[in-house]
Amino acid sequence: EFEEAAVLRDKLIALSAFRPAYTVEAGVAQLKEVLGLKALPRRIEAFDVSNIFGRQASASMVSFSNGLADKANYRRFRIKTVKESNDCQMLAEAVLRRYRRVKKENLPLPDLILVDGGKGQLWAVKKELDYLGFNIPVISLAKKEELVHTLVSSTPLRLKSNSAALRLLQHIRNESHRFALSYHRILRKRHAFGEE
């Protein structure tokens, strides 16, 4: 059994050194190329919203640095100004609050902003960034067909399903969705127990 244990140990060591393609430079470099960005998108911030018919609405922002989650810079927002179920307006509120604070505190800007959704979400976010005077590249990723919407083309990008760039975007989008949903569940529990 010692030999079998040694083989398993070696496999574990090999696996611990393995990183999926979306966490290495390949995904970041591909994103720069396919999106026509001026700089490598080393820092990406992504937003998603979660609500049930507008109730206990929340938004999340996750931060990734060089393809890896930067959990110390995750943020969550309880939606305050939007009462009906409107993902675009909820995203706009979260983005406005986030980057208004960034501006006030002179914090570093991301190289790219990713939002979950389509053209509507994309333009709602762009409007708030314009209002604040920020010119940050923004894209959205639509779930069903995994199309990438940009501000520079009316035609969405369809990245190859096995491309490092798409895998990176999917990973970041899925993490922002998970984080938004977890906060939404907390708000629902508080509401159910009368803590609001």
Side-chain angles (χ1 to χ4, degrees):
E1 291 183 11
F2 283 111
E3 287 181 65
E4 190 177 358
V7 170
L8 288 172
R9 181 203 62 214
D10 292 343
K11 284 182 179 178
L12 283 172
I13 291 169
L15 283 171
S16 68
F18 174 76
R19 284 183 167 188
Y22 59 69
T23 65
V24 295
E25 287 290 315
V28 174
Q30 274 188 21
L31 270 181
K32 179 183 184 291
E33 183 182 339
V34 297
L35 297 175
L37 301 174
K38 293 177 182 176
L40 284 169
R42 295 193 180 280
R43 182 178 173 83
I44 300 173
E45 293 184 349
F47 293 81
D48 194 11
V49 298
S50 185
N51 70 97
I52 299 175
F53 304 114
R55 295 193 299 271
Q56 287 83 52
S58 62
S60 74
M61 186 210 83
V62 298
S63 178
F64 276 67
S65 179
N66 291 315
L68 297 173
D70 177 17
K71 294 193 176 185
N73 283 306
Y74 280 22
R75 298 291 180 266
R76 54 191 193 182
F77 307 87
R78 183 170 181 169
I79 300 301
K80 299 175 180 177
T81 62
V82 184
K83 302 305 177 191
E84 70 283 355
S85 183
N86 186 323
D87 283 5
C88 293
Q89 290 306 310
M90 290 177 186
L91 271 174
E93 179 186 325
V95 165
L96 177 64
R97 286 166 57 189
R98 165 64 179 166
Y99 296 109
R100 189 164 50 198
R101 183 167 187 170
V102 164
K103 189 172 189 175
K104 183 180 178 183
E105 298 179 12
N106 199 27
L107 299 172
L109 293 170
D111 301 304
L112 179 67
I113 296 172
L114 169 65
V115 294
D116 181 43
K119 278 284 187 185
Q121 286 83 352
L122 183 68
W123 285 101
V125 167
K126 172 67 172 161
K127 182 181 174 184
E128 300 304 330
L129 293 172
D130 286 347
Y131 171 74
L132 292 168
F134 286 139
N135 185 25
I136 306 168
V138 188
I139 61 171
S140 65
L141 182 61
K143 274 194 190 83
K144 285 185 181 177
E145 296 181 19
E146 302 292 52
L147 296 174
V148 179
H149 295 273
T150 69
L151 295 167
V152 295
S153 173
S154 58
T155 307
L157 296 171
R158 187 184 295 276
L159 303 179
K160 290 182 179 178
S161 61
N162 64 346
S163 73
L166 181 60
R167 288 202 301 264
L168 174 60
L169 292 179
Q170 289 171 326
H171 179 60
I172 296 172
R173 188 267 318 278
N174 293 345
E175 176 65 357
S176 69
H177 182 69
R178 180 202 65 78
F179 193 55
L181 192 57
S182 68
Y183 184 45
H184 177 63
R185 286 179 179 141
I186 290 169
L187 294 180
R188 279 177 28 212
K189 280 183 183 178
R190 286 181 188 167
H191 179 73
F193 288 104
E195 294 177 20
E196 291 189 336

